[in-house]
Amino acid sequence: MKHAFLITLLCILCCSPGSARDLVRGYRGFVEWDNAIGKTDYWNDEILDYDKDTLWFLGLSTSHGFQFNPHLYIGIGCMLSCANPTGDITIPVFADIRYDAKFGKFTPFVDFRGGFYSDGTSYGGLYITPTIGYSFQHAKKINFNLGLGVTLRDVKVFYSPEYESERKMNTLFTIRFSIDFK
């Protein structure tokens, strides 16, 4: 079922006749709804130890920066993300680099975010998320964007009773819906 949905979504994106507005030099901002799912190491209060299970991270993010030319955007942003079913909250802060292409009416983009996140403890870590997607024009100064990507999160896992730790990189599949404005 999941595969059929993703294949249908990709076909719609590739065949869509809409194109995004032309980008001009100046301020550009994004408001985004992020979804990330994958096997993740997390602290389980029931067993008082670390566990690895599938978690769904649901978040809202914003990024603001400068559009240097019709293709290159560089900005900074932050996100508030909550993990389901654990309820853990993370706050990534990141640099955002985006390349918008335009091939006739076909308007794909590539986006790369890199930074760090905090999870309410001192054990936050590295946050990296590359995304590819498609822009849809809605109004003169607004575009809708749909992106698919991967989120890499660096997690510090402690082993008791010695309190030794190791860092692990968790990989999450990401879908991002956004609105960009000028």
Side-chain angles (χ1 to χ4, degrees):
M1 181 67 176
K2 289 180 196 177
H3 293 14
F5 173 75
L6 288 176
I7 291 171
T8 304
L9 185 64
L10 288 173
C11 289
I12 290 170
L13 287 175
C14 291
C15 299
S16 175
S19 64
R21 66 181 159 77
D22 288 332
L23 299 171
V24 294
R25 184 178 174 89
Y27 167 80
R28 188 176 182 194
F30 292 86
V31 176
E32 301 164 320
W33 177 44
D34 293 79
N35 295 280
I37 190 167
K39 289 247 184 225
T40 305
D41 293 293
Y42 69 97
W43 179 259
N44 188 334
D45 286 329
E46 293 176 6
I47 63 172
L48 298 175
D49 202 356
Y50 284 88
D51 199 1
K52 188 169 187 116
D53 199 3
T54 300
L55 295 182
W56 174 31
F57 291 87
L58 180 63
L60 290 173
S61 66
T62 185
S63 173
H64 302 273
F66 195 80
Q67 186 74 37
F68 288 93
N69 58 41
H71 303 290
L72 182 63
Y73 162 82
I74 297 177
I76 58 172
C78 65
M79 176 170 51
L80 180 63
S81 178
C82 183
N84 188 15
T86 64
D88 295 341
I89 294 177
T90 60
I91 303 173
V93 177
F94 52 85
D96 191 2
I97 299 172
R98 177 175 165 131
Y99 182 83
D100 292 281
K102 189 161 186 173
F103 305 107
K105 291 189 178 234
F106 184 61
T107 53
F109 68 86
V110 176
D111 184 71
F112 180 82
R113 293 178 172 184
F116 295 91
Y117 75 93
S118 173
D119 58 3
T121 67
S122 60
Y123 311 125
L126 188 63
Y127 171 82
I128 298 172
T129 177
T131 307
I132 60 169
Y134 190 76
S135 293
F136 302 89
Q137 182 177 6
H138 176 68
K140 187 175 182 180
K141 294 189 175 189
I142 296 176
N143 280 344
F144 290 114
N145 303 284
L146 175 61
L148 302 174
V150 175
T151 298
L152 304 170
R153 291 174 25 125
D154 181 35
V155 177
K156 190 171 193 175
V157 178
F158 288 89
Y159 299 103
S160 55
E162 301 87 20
Y163 296 103
E164 293 179 14
S165 66
E166 93 176 275
R167 299 209 67 90
K168 294 183 176 183
M169 189 65 75
N170 291 323
T171 304
L172 308 165
F173 173 72
T174 304
I175 298 176
R176 185 175 295 136
F177 301 98
S178 66
I179 297 173
D180 73 268
F181 49 91
K182 183 165 175 53

